[in-house]
Amino acid sequence: PADSQRGSAWISRDAWRGGGGGGGGGGVGGGGHQNNFATSGEDVAIRAVHSEVSQYGDALGRSACTSIALTLALSFFDAMTTTTTHSAADPEGVINSEFLSRSVRRGIEMYGDLRSNVSGVEHSSVEELLTACSGSCNSESKNIVLSLRLLDSSPRQGVLSNSAENPMGLETILSSCRADAADSRSYVAVVITKPPETVLVLLPPRDVQQSPSSTYVLLDSHPRPQQLSPHFPSGSYGLFHPTLTSLVGSLKQIFPATELGSDVPEMMAMMYNSFDAYPFQRRSRC
């Protein structure tokens, strides 16, 4: 079945940025099909896993990306804390097509359960969903609040920019989320919202001596058949990056900075390019 299939591809930095060839990459739910792109010099490999299931496969899912991101975060922490194998202590050991499909469906179900308890805005905010979860009679929805801990000084507000010196850019904001982790041995799951879209990134533990993994992960329930060359995911997907810089490069393809021109007031331009980051870790188990 499609849910149990895992498609993957190794992508060089040049190919990722559109400089390399490489057709459609690993097909959606590609059953383990793998394409290899030659890497050399400073090229870095980015591994991808796909699922045929996206948020648009259900009528309720169109606006469910924020609840899906929260569900992906909790599912990831649960998988990482219940595993007993060394290979699964790395995100690539727990995130596969089945993980993506299951989490997307659970997120859509949670959105359906909670939508009567949030504002009339179709795309609910993280704050609205957390409040709704705390008052929900559904045990799975309530488990989001009971299990996820939002780090202090959140949300972290940033501004998309083409400048590498931007003090509020993606790299700076994500670096601060990782640095402020309450548990230095655990991943930080950051829900990034730039209306109308939300994605999830996973930042490796700050204490590299105690962690077997240093992989940066992007999880997204949106199909992007016109983006993210060379494999153009037509379902939900995960991307595994070796560095924060390569993760930010992927995020900038999804959330490119928009230059509005010199006639647009600076404050308006900043608002147009603003994003919010909500860093979570798992609450300690009693």
Side-chain angles (χ1 to χ4, degrees):
D3 283 5
S4 64
Q5 296 174 338
R6 179 173 180 167
S8 59
W10 284 98
I11 308 165
S12 75
R13 180 186 299 167
D14 288 342
W16 183 254
R17 291 178 177 173
V28 178
H33 177 69
Q34 179 171 303
N35 288 342
N36 292 287
F37 296 84
T39 62
S40 61
E42 294 184 357
D43 285 350
V44 294
I46 299 174
R47 188 176 177 88
V49 61
H50 310 266
S51 167
E52 292 181 347
V53 176
S54 81
Q55 67 184 73
Y56 299 121
D58 187 295
L60 283 176
R62 183 180 65 175
S63 303
C65 54
T66 304
S67 61
I68 292 171
L70 290 170
T71 302
L72 282 165
L74 181 57
S75 297
F76 171 74
F77 286 129
D78 283 346
M80 292 290 278
T81 55
T82 57
T83 182
T84 57
T85 65
H86 177 76
S87 63
D90 186 280
E92 291 186 68
V94 300
I95 298 173
N96 53 28
S97 288
E98 183 180 0
F99 172 93
L100 292 170
S101 300
R102 181 176 63 251
S103 298
V104 168
R105 292 186 176 118
R106 286 175 59 192
I108 293 173
E109 290 173 2
M110 186 179 85
Y111 175 77
D113 172 60
L114 299 176
R115 63 177 182 157
S116 61
N117 297 321
V118 298
S119 70
V121 179
E122 197 171 17
H123 291 85
S124 303
S125 68
V126 172
E127 291 92 344
E128 288 175 324
L129 287 173
L130 291 178
T131 299
C133 282
S134 64
S136 174
C137 295
N138 183 292
S139 59
E140 194 157 331
S141 297
K142 190 177 287 291
N143 196 33
I144 292 286
V145 173
L146 296 177
S147 301
L148 296 181
R149 173 188 176 184
L150 184 63
L151 299 186
D152 294 339
S153 303
S154 298
R156 316 289 174 94
Q157 296 183 319
V159 179
L160 301 172
S161 171
N162 293 319
S163 171
E165 307 302 321
N166 179 12
M168 297 181 69
L170 282 162
E171 191 154 357
T172 300
I173 296 298
L174 293 178
S175 293
S176 75
C177 291
R178 186 182 183 214
D180 293 342
D183 181 354
S184 63
R185 299 168 299 175
S186 172
Y187 262 79
V188 178
V190 186
V191 177
I192 300 177
T193 64
K194 187 182 188 310
E197 293 189 343
T198 300
V199 301
L200 181 74
V201 299
L202 305 172
L203 308 178
R206 188 174 72 247
D207 188 347
V208 295
Q209 300 299 322
Q210 299 295 322
S211 171
S213 175
S214 59
T215 303
Y216 295 79
V217 187
L218 166 62
L219 299 177
D220 187 5
S221 59
H222 302 84
R224 300 193 185 275
Q226 305 300 321
Q227 294 176 290
L228 303 178
S229 173
H231 56 279
F232 308 106
S234 57
S236 57
Y237 63 92
L239 298 180
F240 305 95
H241 306 77
T243 65
L244 176 59
T245 299
S246 60
L247 169 63
V248 169
S250 296
L251 287 170
K252 285 183 175 180
Q253 293 202 35
I254 298 173
F255 301 126
T258 301
E259 301 292 346
L260 298 179
S262 58
D263 57 326
V264 177
E266 182 179 4
M267 186 59 66
M268 183 178 295
M270 290 179 65
M271 290 177 62
Y272 192 87
N273 283 293
S274 66
F275 67 90
D276 290 326
Y278 299 80
F280 291 91
Q281 287 193 293
R282 208 193 197 294
R283 294 185 188 275
S284 299
R285 295 178 183 270
C286 298

